[in-house]
Amino acid sequence: MKTSLAFASMAFAFVAYAPHTAQAADGEAPVVVAAPSPDTRAAADDPNIDRGFLLPTAMTQPAGSGTYNNYELLLHGFTYGITDGLQASVTVLAPITTDVPFVGIAALKGQVISTPRFHFALQASAGYGKILDGDSRGSSTLGAGAFGSFCLREDCSSLLSASGTYQIGFGNGDHPQLLIYGVSIVHGVSPHVKLLGELTSLAIDEGSFSTFDNAPGVLASYGVRLHNANFASDIGFIQPIFGDTNGGFVLGLPFASISYRWQ
């Protein structure tokens, strides 16, 4: 009896963890299909896998998927997974009043290094902005980014990421430059819940091309992500920290985003 139970347990383990085998016709050899990699499974389980709270990660959306993102009901974005390691996205700030400018940014992000635990991606972007009052001229931007992510778990449900993004503006004869950088952590505590933490800072050059002046303090963001394979919502706070002060907010500015993905 014990031998039978042991054999059954071994058979169950083999079926659960072995690569998938496609059913073959009589007389033909079975076709073995490799199980998806941990980062592919992580991307399939989380529509927000390509970012932390606000900062990008080195992860990308699955091939053939389309993801709609909404930030604070004002920013609208759409991302399409061209391949498992390459995605294209568009983000637009809706001008709901004449005082709110139109801002649109298109970006292409691709992984150049992808191992079971470490991923590194590069991004190129272009943007345009204009106040819709009929008088002011529009401004355009070009940008480049580099992002690295390390899977803290074998299934990549928890990520530690670092990112740096450079932007240069063109408009009204000026060429301001902006460097945004920071670190983020996404920690899975259950199959559908992740904790988020992030530190962000930036440096600005007004157009002299001589030196960057770093902004005082950092933005500390934290919250929780609720998700399944198609829907995700990040809810949390953004806390400005300037020297010995916290910007006058006890918890920080509330922030929320929602995403839906078609696969």
Side-chain angles (χ1 to χ4, degrees):
M1 183 66 177
K2 293 182 179 179
T3 302
S4 299
L5 289 175
F7 179 80
S9 299
M10 293 173 62
F12 176 79
F14 177 80
V15 172
Y17 295 101
H20 300 290
T21 303
Q23 186 68 33
D26 292 341
E28 295 183 4
V31 179
V32 177
V33 180
S37 62
D39 58 310
T40 302
R41 294 198 303 270
D45 291 340
D46 183 358
N48 287 349
I49 192 69
D50 55 348
R51 71 172 188 268
F53 195 76
L54 294 173
L55 293 176
T57 69
M59 311 301 281
T60 53
Q61 297 290 343
S65 66
T67 306
Y68 168 74
N69 303 288
N70 183 284
Y71 309 88
E72 290 290 304
L73 301 179
L74 296 176
L75 279 171
H76 305 268
F78 181 80
T79 301
Y80 179 74
I82 302 173
T83 69
D84 283 338
L86 180 66
Q87 69 176 37
S89 61
V90 176
T91 304
V92 175
L93 174 62
I96 56 177
T97 69
T98 56
D99 295 328
V100 176
F102 166 82
V103 177
I105 299 175
L108 185 68
K109 179 169 72 170
Q111 291 182 349
V112 294
I113 298 176
S114 181
T115 70
R117 284 295 185 102
F118 178 72
H119 304 272
F120 183 76
L122 298 177
Q123 176 175 281
S125 63
Y128 179 79
K130 186 180 187 304
I131 298 178
L132 302 180
D133 58 5
D135 296 326
S136 62
R137 297 175 55 189
S139 299
S140 58
T141 65
L142 291 176
F147 321 125
S149 294
F150 181 76
C151 298
L152 300 176
R153 290 176 173 168
E154 186 177 357
D155 63 356
C156 291
S157 61
S158 296
L159 291 174
L160 179 63
S161 302
S163 69
T165 301
Y166 170 80
Q167 296 282 336
I168 182 170
F170 302 91
N172 301 321
D174 298 325
H175 302 291
Q177 301 175 85
L178 183 67
L179 181 62
I180 305 173
Y181 59 93
V183 294
S184 67
I185 185 169
V186 177
H187 178 57
V189 295
S190 79
H192 302 295
V193 179
K194 294 181 178 180
L195 301 181
L196 311 174
E198 196 169 88
L199 293 175
T200 310
S201 191
L202 60 86
I204 302 174
D205 186 314
E206 296 293 343
S208 62
F209 293 93
S210 57
T211 182
F212 281 89
D213 294 324
N214 203 82
V218 298
L219 291 180
S221 308
Y222 61 97
V224 61
R225 174 175 298 167
L226 309 175
H227 70 94
N228 59 25
N230 299 104
F231 175 82
S233 179
D234 293 351
I235 304 170
F237 298 90
I238 302 175
Q239 177 67 272
I241 300 177
F242 305 100
D244 297 331
T245 66
N246 62 3
F249 302 96
V250 176
L251 296 177
L253 296 170
F255 180 87
S257 68
I258 56 173
S259 303
Y260 186 82
R261 181 168 66 194
W262 296 265
Q263 298 190 75

